[in-house]
Amino acid sequence: TRQLQLTANNISGAQQDGYTLKRATVSSVSLGGDAGGATITGFTRASDDTLTKAYNAATSQAAFLGTQNSYLQQVQNILGSNSGNPALSNDIAQFQSAWTQFSASPESSAQKQAVILAGTNLAADVRSITSSVSGLKRQIISDVGDSVQTLNTALSNIALLNQQISTATTSGQPAGDLQDARDQAINAISKIVAVNVVPRESGQIALYTPNGVLLADKQIAQSFAWDGTNITSGTGLTVTTALRGGSIEASIQFIANNSPTAVSSSPGTEVIR
């Protein structure tokens, strides 16, 4: 009956994202030296730790670059860089031209008015761009807060799945579907921050960042807080720069301000500054 159920599940789950093929390990039973049939002694699933690790790493990198690109596109829209003649560049050119003409005819009232008008247009566009950039910064700060909350929820889910997998494993029940769910949860976390998976007993795992920050261990999940400037762990440690990879790093780099040092020339870093 269990074999039939596994086969049915494999067929129904074949088209589901994250589903892995499940198999039962069967051993023969001997009754007084005579063959007594077969019994299920364990369960396996078709998974590859190396491929899963590479997939999660690629997911983190894609999320990092995707987040960075999304914000850069918004900056281009604010500056009008996608158009053939950005407003700010045109305003500066008009302002410079007006001053050049005024310097040639300083007695001309018309040239004076042209300088004032060009300066007024330039100042208005600078104010508009400043407002839009400030709005983008507020959006990014909010995005980081959302990402931290999503991370906390996912880590709590990992801890719960660890508990359920441990219970199933120690009682000889199949845990493959729970492990599939956990793999998907880990991949979702990889979009926010890069992770390393460390096996624990009874099928449980621990999650760490590449920098060694603990995210979850067996049935304990870390909780993080974002105050608009720094991310802190449940123990009060500042881990802002240690949460590398994924959307969080891209967002924080974008709004970073390492003044008074020179602005970073790295794409996507200190862009708001």
Side-chain angles (χ1 to χ4, degrees), residues 120-133:
T120 299
N121 291 337
L122 174 59
D125 275 342
V126 168
R127 284 194 297 270
S128 176
I129 289 172
T130 299
S131 176
S132 296
V133 170

Side-chain angles (χ1 to χ4, degrees), residues 6-18:
L6 280 176
T7 301
N9 290 344
N10 285 333
I11 293 173
S12 63
Q15 303 302 318
Q16 297 177 13
D17 289 341

Side-chain angles (χ1 to χ4, degrees), residues 18 20 45-60 179-180 182-188 190 195-197 205 207:
T20 60
R45 64 185 187 123
S47 63
D48 187 300
D49 291 343
T50 301
L51 290 178
T52 299
K53 181 179 180 180
Y55 177 52
N56 288 336
T59 297
S60 292
Q179 291 170 318
D180 286 350
R182 188 176 64 187
D183 283 350
Q184 289 181 289
I186 294 171
N187 187 252
S190 296
V195 296
N196 288 334
V197 180
I205 61 165
L207 289 181

Side-chain angles (χ1 to χ4, degrees), residues 95-266:
F95 190 51
Q96 183 179 19
S97 175
W99 271 106
T100 299
Q101 295 180 49
F102 175 65
S103 63
S105 304
E107 74 286 350
S108 171
S109 296
Q111 296 301 334
K112 289 179 183 178
Q113 289 302 315
V115 169
I116 293 172
L117 178 60
T120 299
N121 291 337
L122 174 59
D125 275 342
V126 168
R127 284 194 297 270
S128 176
I129 289 172
T130 299
S131 176
S132 296
V133 170
S134 296
L136 177 57
K137 181 179 180 179
R138 289 193 297 272
Q139 174 197 327
I140 296 172
I141 290 174
S142 177
D143 289 346
V144 175
D146 291 343
S147 294
V148 169
Q149 183 58 49
T150 300
L151 175 62
N152 288 339
T153 300
L155 292 175
S156 295
N157 188 34
I158 292 289
L160 176 60
L161 286 167
N162 270 341
Q163 180 183 16
Q164 294 171 338
I165 289 168
S166 176
T167 299
T169 301
T170 54
S171 61
Q173 298 300 310
D177 289 342
L178 293 170
Q179 291 170 318
D180 286 350
R182 188 176 64 187
D183 283 350
Q184 289 181 289
I186 294 171
N187 187 252
I189 291 172
S190 296
K191 297 177 182 178
I192 302 172
V193 59
V195 296
N196 288 334
V197 180
V198 180
R200 297 297 196 219
E201 66 275 8
S202 302
Q204 300 180 92
I205 61 165
L207 289 181
Y208 290 85
T209 70
N211 296 62
V213 176
L214 174 66
L215 299 176
D217 193 350
K218 293 183 285 190
Q219 298 167 35
I220 298 174
Q222 182 73 273
S223 181
F224 299 94
W226 165 246
D227 63 5
T229 303
N230 288 304
I231 298 175
T232 53
S233 67
T235 58
L237 293 177
T238 299
V239 295
T240 314
T241 59
L243 299 182
R244 308 302 297 268
S247 62
I248 280 185
E249 182 184 13
S251 299
I252 290 176
Q253 283 187 355
F254 212 88
I255 59 176
N257 186 344
N258 296 316
S259 179
T261 61
V263 176
S264 173
S265 60
S266 176

